[in-house]
Amino acid sequence: KDPPTLLITGTADTTVPDSQSRQMATAAKAVKAPVELEIIPGVGHGWKSPDKDRRIAAMNHAVELTFRFIDDKLKPDSTGFGKGGQLQ
């Protein structure tokens, strides 16, 4: 079984363009692999932005998404398996 994958990217990322993340998500879905894609407008790689408020908001959003993903997909339940079905 394929592990769940979370992809988070910014629309201004020139290191890993959001188009590559979209392609990866599409390829994963094509083989029924669990994938979530979040695209954050206006930020670059590592949530870089000349706008400090946008950068901080993007970082906070990415952290929130990451922790929610871990809780929803990877955190073990009482049987020792995560909700995503992965052995913990």
Side-chain angles (χ1 to χ4, degrees), residues 42-75:
V43 295
H45 198 75
W47 324 127
K48 292 178 183 162
S49 172
D51 180 334
K52 180 182 175 185
D53 291 336
R54 182 185 297 255
R55 183 173 62 247
I56 291 170
M59 287 188 290
N60 287 337
H61 185 59
V63 167
E64 179 184 321
L65 288 169
T66 301
F67 279 109
R68 186 180 314 141
F69 178 82
I70 291 168
D71 281 345
D72 289 348
K73 307 293 184 193
L74 303 175
K75 189 174 180 180

Side-chain angles (χ1 to χ4, degrees), residues 5-74:
T5 302
L6 173 63
L7 303 171
I8 307 173
T9 188
T11 58
D13 192 335
T14 58
T15 303
V16 182
D18 64 288
S19 61
Q20 289 184 3
S21 296
R22 290 174 198 268
Q23 288 174 346
M24 185 172 179
T26 298
K29 288 177 184 179
V31 296
K32 308 274 191 264
V35 63
E36 294 182 23
L37 172 63
E38 182 74 17
I39 299 174
I40 303 175
V43 295
H45 198 75
W47 324 127
K48 292 178 183 162
S49 172
D51 180 334
K52 180 182 175 185
D53 291 336
R54 182 185 297 255
R55 183 173 62 247
I56 291 170
M59 287 188 290
N60 287 337
H61 185 59
V63 167
E64 179 184 321
L65 288 169
T66 301
F67 279 109
R68 186 180 314 141
F69 178 82
I70 291 168
D71 281 345
D72 289 348
K73 307 293 184 193
L74 303 175

